[in-house]
Amino acid sequence: MTTYHLRVNGRDHAVDTDPDTPLLYVLRNDLQLNGAKFGCGLGQCGACTVTLGGESVMSCLVPVSVVGKRAVGTVEGLGTAKTPGVLQQAFIAEQAAQCGYCIAGMMMRAESLLAKNPKPTDAQIRQHMMPNLCRCGTHMRILRAVRRAADALPAQGGKA
């Protein structure tokens, strides 16, 4: 066991765990942040997507030992049920969730795109979102939600 100091959603945490423990397990089991889901465990579905240093990563593939000082972002950091963030509002407005299993990962992938490119083209949105799967087939609503969030952000960018 090793102690790791993580910054998650702007808060500092100390976690004692094995170096090979996937970040997903630390988030869910140690920090009780259950937005990121275990889907395939192979980095092929995107249900576990979070941001790491501003980049979207599949947390089932990232050992906690490689996080270092990079900030981790989860869907819980985007807003709350009472005050949802821009992305959350857009996903609600577009009814992008059917079963909802993929949505946290979809939002975090979209968050990383909009942080770098606040006004992406539809082609850029499609390309960036491609690694994440929605088994219910709400891809078109998800794409509309990302477009809605992009349209709601200031031109210079901002937190989605």
Side-chain angles (χ1 to χ4, degrees), residues 96-143:
Q98 187 165 323
C99 83
Y101 206 77
C102 71
I103 293 301
M106 291 284 191
M107 280 195 255
M108 295 315 296
R109 182 161 297 279
E111 166 72 16
S112 70
L113 170 65
L114 297 177
K116 288 183 233 151
N117 182 0
K119 297 298 178 192
T121 64
D122 288 347
Q124 289 170 323
I125 294 171
R126 287 175 187 273
Q127 181 67 34
H128 189 80
M129 299 300 290
M130 195 178 298
N132 287 52
L133 303 177
C134 172
R135 301 208 190 298
C136 297
T138 65
H139 291 95
M140 296 313 294
R141 288 187 261 165
I142 291 167
L143 293 172

Side-chain angles (χ1 to χ4, degrees), residues 41-114:
L42 302 170
Q44 296 178 353
C45 73
C48 67
T49 302
V50 299
T51 58
L52 180 59
E55 299 292 326
S56 49
V57 298
M58 295 185 190
S59 62
C60 70
L61 298 179
V62 177
V64 69
S65 60
V66 303
V67 172
K69 295 188 182 296
R70 293 178 290 173
V72 177
T74 72
V75 71
E76 291 91 349
L78 296 180
T80 66
K82 288 184 180 181
T83 57
V86 173
L87 261 173
Q88 292 166 319
Q89 291 173 26
F91 273 69
I92 292 165
E94 293 296 338
Q95 298 180 16
Q98 187 165 323
C99 83
Y101 206 77
C102 71
I103 293 301
M106 291 284 191
M107 280 195 255
M108 295 315 296
R109 182 161 297 279
E111 166 72 16
S112 70
L113 170 65
L114 297 177

